[in-house]
Amino acid sequence: MHAFNYHRPSSVNDAAALAAKQAEGKLLAGGQSLVQAMKLRLASPSDLIDLGAIGDLKGIKVDGGSVSIGAMTRHAEVAGSAEVKKAIPALAYLASQIGDRQVRNMGTLGGSLANADPAADYPAAVLGLGATVVTNKRKIAADDFFKGLYETALQPGEIITQVSFPAPKRAAYVKFKNPASRFAIVGVFVADTGKGVRVAVTGAGPSVFRVADMEKALGAKFAPDAVAGIKVKADGLNTDLHASAEYRAHLVTVMAKRAVEAALK
Amino acid sequence: MSAVPDRVHMTLRVNGEDQPVSFAPYKTLLEVLREDLGLTGTKHGCELGECGACTVLVDGEPLLSCLELAVDCEGREIQTVEGLASGTELHPLQAAFADHGGSQCGYCTSGMLMTAKALLDREPAPSRERIKEAISGNLCRCTGYQQIWEAIEDAARVMREGKE
């Protein structure tokens, strides 16, 4: 890899101070996207600020009706957590479907959200559950967090510390995955929150998005056939060698139906 | 930009032994294992976290040494394919891979063995489905996987019998 300065701060404040000083620096979480990008020379930071030694960023807390997960918590921990499985089984399941075992042992919740890959799984849970992204500066509602392709509301040097997921009445995540990478070609997270239904779609567009028509239909009747006739427009959806925009639009309806079915089980 | 330090000095614990080593801080665990510790059993594959050829165990869990910085591994237990055999006696997984033709060109083999070891350490009797899921991050372009699944199942059996 190319040469860079390596920093290993032990607190969020130290990390933020370092990030503020290094305009060309990058925060390193699990490294599953950033280190790859560095090898491809898509990123060549002068400094890497490794968040791995900050204890405050790790761990899972279940408190009443919500699950708080530290930004540096690995996917494997979320997938294997008895507490998460009990409070929000759909979230533990989603984490268990990310990549492969090696990736789940390194990749982190905060890293996934900050990177905002259009095909990542976690954004679907964050938006689908109406979670709150907590940073060292503020709390950001899921609806305000994702801004576009690899783009979030995070300011330069702002660090995600944890994410708070409210436990829904019922929820499920289903994805049509790329069989090689296990990234979502289309993934749909459906949650009956008690304050309405939320439907979040990842993989299909430049960024995760909600489908208001489906939410309304499921609010009236939470059943697979309620969404069976609701199509999203292919305009603006992703086309690549794996799937066309039209096919992705079709998959949104199919995955939404399956997710509702899974939530009812 | 401040100057990048030439080298860092630390002790890495590899295959049960403390290894003092000095290396450039931007090197991956894979590079340090191969270039600075001479442990070339772990392979460079895609270098992008796709193929699993570089898989080693850190604190018992399989991870991609091509995406892990070596500086992050201080104080952690690193296991590589070189640590599998006991003296001249092969680990049951190594023996089973040889017996079943689970290794052809051999390039994926060390990563496969380490991922399989992590599985069998936790689950002594995994189903075929669990084995497939466990090694889904390790690509093999020779065997078609059949021989690898059979080898892992056979090794699991041998290991269970050895414990009885």
Side-chain angles (χ1 to χ4, degrees), chain A residues 8 36 39 50 101 104-105, chain B residues 47-48 62 66 72 133:
Chain A
R8 195 173 173 78
Q36 187 186 58
K39 291 191 174 189
D50 188 345
R101 288 189 179 207
R104 292 195 292 275
N105 283 328
Chain B
E47 283 279 349
L48 296 171
C66 79
D72 257 347
E133 187 278 320

Side-chain angles (χ1 to χ4, degrees), chain B residues 82-163:
Chain B
E82 286 89 348
L84 275 185
S86 309
T88 55
E89 194 183 333
L90 291 179
H91 187 280
L93 275 164
Q94 292 172 303
F97 269 60
D99 291 346
H100 288 264
S103 179
Q104 287 186 21
C105 88
Y107 211 80
C108 74
T109 306
S110 48
M112 282 285 182
L113 287 168
M114 299 318 288
T115 308
K117 179 178 190 296
L119 173 70
L120 297 188
D121 285 349
R122 281 199 176 180
E123 295 180 42
S127 65
R128 175 70 63 98
E129 281 313 303
R130 289 291 287 172
I131 293 171
K132 284 186 183 177
E133 187 278 320
I135 63 164
S136 65
N138 294 79
L139 301 185
C140 171
R141 297 288 89 138
C142 302
T143 63
Y145 300 101
Q146 181 75 29
Q147 297 94 317
I148 293 175
W149 302 328
E150 288 167 1
I152 296 171
E153 284 169 355
D154 198 29
R157 184 185 55 76
V158 169
M159 289 164 73
R160 287 196 304 272
E161 286 169 1
K163 278 185 188 147

Side-chain angles (χ1 to χ4, degrees), chain A residues 67-151:
Chain A
V67 176
S68 293
I69 302 179
M72 283 297 287
T73 310
R74 316 270 165 185
H75 308 326
E77 268 176 78
V78 176
S81 159
E83 284 180 299
V84 179
K85 281 184 195 169
K86 191 166 168 237
I88 315 180
L91 182 60
Y93 172 78
L94 175 144
S96 79
Q97 299 298 300
I98 300 171
D100 49 53
R101 288 189 179 207
Q102 289 93 321
V103 169
R104 292 195 292 275
N105 283 328
M106 295 176 77
T108 66
L109 170 62
S112 170
L113 297 180
N115 190 46
D117 189 297
D121 295 298
Y122 264 132
V126 169
L127 191 63
L129 290 166
T132 304
V133 180
V134 184
T135 76
N136 58 330
K137 293 182 176 156
R138 57 191 166 138
K139 293 181 175 181
I140 308 171
D143 287 310
D144 303 324
F145 184 79
F146 300 99
K147 297 293 187 189
L149 186 70
Y150 295 106
E151 200 188 331

Side-chain angles (χ1 to χ4, degrees), chain A residues 7-70:
Chain A
H7 308 272
R8 195 173 173 78
S10 54
S11 74
V12 175
N13 282 345
D14 290 353
L18 280 163
K21 245 190 286 175
Q22 308 295 346
E24 300 299 318
K26 285 258 186 208
L27 298 163
L28 175 67
Q32 300 300 282
S33 299
L34 176 57
V35 176
Q36 187 186 58
M38 288 166 65
K39 291 191 174 189
L40 292 167
R41 303 278 161 147
L42 296 170
S44 39
S46 62
D47 293 69
L48 271 197
I49 302 156
D50 188 345
L51 303 175
I54 306 175
D56 290 351
L57 295 179
K58 292 174 195 164
I60 297 168
K61 275 187 220 117
V62 177
D63 184 15
S66 84
V67 176
S68 293
I69 302 179

Side-chain angles (χ1 to χ4, degrees), chain A residues 128 169-172 188-201 210-230 252-253 255-264:
Chain A
K169 280 208 298 197
R170 52 195 168 184
V188 177
F189 198 104
V190 171
D192 183 358
T193 65
K195 287 186 284 181
V197 176
R198 294 173 69 98
V199 177
V201 178
R210 290 171 67 184
V211 185
D213 290 348
M214 287 184 177
E215 293 179 352
K216 205 174 145 199
L218 290 169
K221 182 187 172 201
F222 196 81
D225 61 3
V227 291
I230 300 175
V252 171
T253 305
M255 293 303 118
K257 251 168 43 185
R258 290 184 191 170
V260 175
E261 210 173 289
L264 288 168

